[in-house]
Amino acid sequence: MMSEDARGDGTVGKALDVLDQVAGHGRPVRFADLLRESPFPKATLYRLLQTLTSQGMLQFDPDTGAYSLGVRLVRLAHAAWQTTSLAPIARPSLDRLSAQVGETVHLAQLDNGQVLYVDKRNATVPVEMYSTAGKVGPAYCTGVGKAMLAFLPTERAEEALKRQAFHRFTGKTLTTPEALRVELAAIRARGFAFDDEEHEPGIICIAMPILSEGGHVLGALSVTSTTARRSLADLATLAPVLRETTARIAADVRSWRFPDTMSPPLSRTG
């Protein structure tokens, strides 16, 4: 369904909505499938797809009759990743934390009230789980999501809560805004969050927000394990090293300078 924002943004909003629709399939998708889900008339959808394809934002395979994300969009996404993602800034800290704890480490940011995983380090003995870099997950039932929600200003937190699906993934998933608010208050009090098998059975984690000097949420960091290897009490002992790592990342953000290749050339005088 078309987003509320797209309704007020004219052709650009409609085109972005179509891009989201194609991306949401996670695979090449045919026109008939897009039309079946689209709020746009056939002619409008076709025109938008043609424009996006001609601009390189989508690509069309005449053999299969399917659309997929285009090379130009990939280039733009890569540029955005390099300049707005915490990933390149936090990489050394993630490497160090991963070597220290030997468990799965996640770096995440908030995207429209949801969790965007921007980087990941696998455990010494890898564990299969939902999260991968670039994937979007729910905020209300993940450690990194709750850690970020807990430290948002009240108004932004309430907006983010309205975007939560509150789908029950496991028997431990919080499924109401009221229950989540209680949990977020506890997280603010202790400074970090847990995921107690709330998103995936057998998967637990400790997570901590990455806060700017002014207390703004920049992202979150987590150490994830399994109930077969660890308990929440075990993970809680990692709070000091997590606190040290998030503080280091926040400091690195303050001193971050874009690579020279991303900067405009300096003008020369004299």
Side-chain angles (χ1 to χ4, degrees):
M1 182 177 293
M2 182 172 63
S3 65
E4 289 294 330
D5 290 340
R7 290 191 182 99
D9 290 338
T11 302
V12 173
K14 293 174 183 176
L16 290 174
D17 201 64
V18 172
L19 277 177
D20 280 341
Q21 187 184 1
V22 174
H25 279 265
R27 55 172 174 76
V29 56
R30 295 168 63 90
F31 179 82
D33 296 323
L34 292 170
L35 182 61
R36 190 161 45 245
E37 305 167 352
S38 178
F40 306 126
K42 183 177 180 179
T44 302
L45 178 62
Y46 182 77
R47 186 178 70 252
L48 291 168
L49 287 168
Q50 290 295 101
T51 300
L52 289 167
T53 301
S54 69
Q55 292 297 316
M57 306 298 278
L58 292 177
Q59 57 184 9
F60 177 72
D61 185 340
D63 293 329
T64 62
Y67 293 89
S68 57
L69 298 182
V71 174
R72 184 178 182 184
L73 187 62
V74 173
R75 285 202 306 268
L76 290 172
H78 180 71
W81 190 271
Q82 291 295 321
T83 57
T84 64
S85 168
L86 283 175
I89 305 170
R91 188 173 295 121
S93 294
L94 258 66
D95 290 341
R96 185 184 307 181
L97 179 62
S98 176
Q100 280 181 282
V101 301
E103 298 284 1
T104 302
V105 174
H106 292 111
L107 177 69
Q109 293 177 254
L110 271 183
D111 181 17
N112 286 322
Q114 306 304 311
V115 168
L116 174 63
Y117 293 98
V118 296
D119 210 348
K120 179 180 180 179
R121 298 291 181 276
N122 285 320
T124 307
V125 179
V127 177
E128 186 176 344
M129 62 184 75
Y130 171 86
S131 57
T132 56
K135 202 164 190 176
V136 175
Y140 66 97
C141 59
T142 55
V144 285
K146 292 188 295 178
M148 291 186 283
L149 291 177
F151 287 86
L152 290 177
T154 303
E155 185 175 337
R156 284 191 58 203
E158 287 302 316
E159 289 175 4
L161 258 62
K162 292 175 184 176
R163 296 178 181 268
Q164 306 309 307
F166 291 106
H167 170 76
R168 184 182 293 279
F169 288 97
T170 76
K172 294 187 174 182
T173 306
L174 300 176
T175 57
T176 67
E178 293 74 25
L180 181 58
R181 288 190 187 96
V182 172
E183 174 76 356
L184 297 181
I187 292 168
R188 282 193 297 275
R190 66 173 175 255
F192 55 86
F194 289 116
D195 174 353
D196 185 13
E197 299 184 83
E198 295 160 55
H199 188 214
E200 299 177 84
I203 302 296
I204 56 175
C205 88
I206 179 174
M208 195 169 288
I210 302 168
L211 303 175
S212 71
E213 198 169 15
H216 300 296
V217 175
L218 302 173
L221 193 62
S222 72
V223 175
T224 303
S225 189
T226 69
T227 53
R229 289 211 298 248
R230 297 261 198 169
S231 66
L232 291 183
D234 291 333
L235 291 179
T237 65
L238 299 177
V241 70
L242 258 182
R243 189 171 294 109
E244 176 186 331
T245 306
T246 56
R248 187 185 309 118
I249 293 171
D252 288 343
V253 169
R254 287 198 300 273
S255 60
W256 176 252
R257 295 292 181 270
F258 293 123
D260 290 341
T261 55
M262 301 298 294
S263 303
L266 296 173
S267 59
R268 296 184 179 182
T269 57

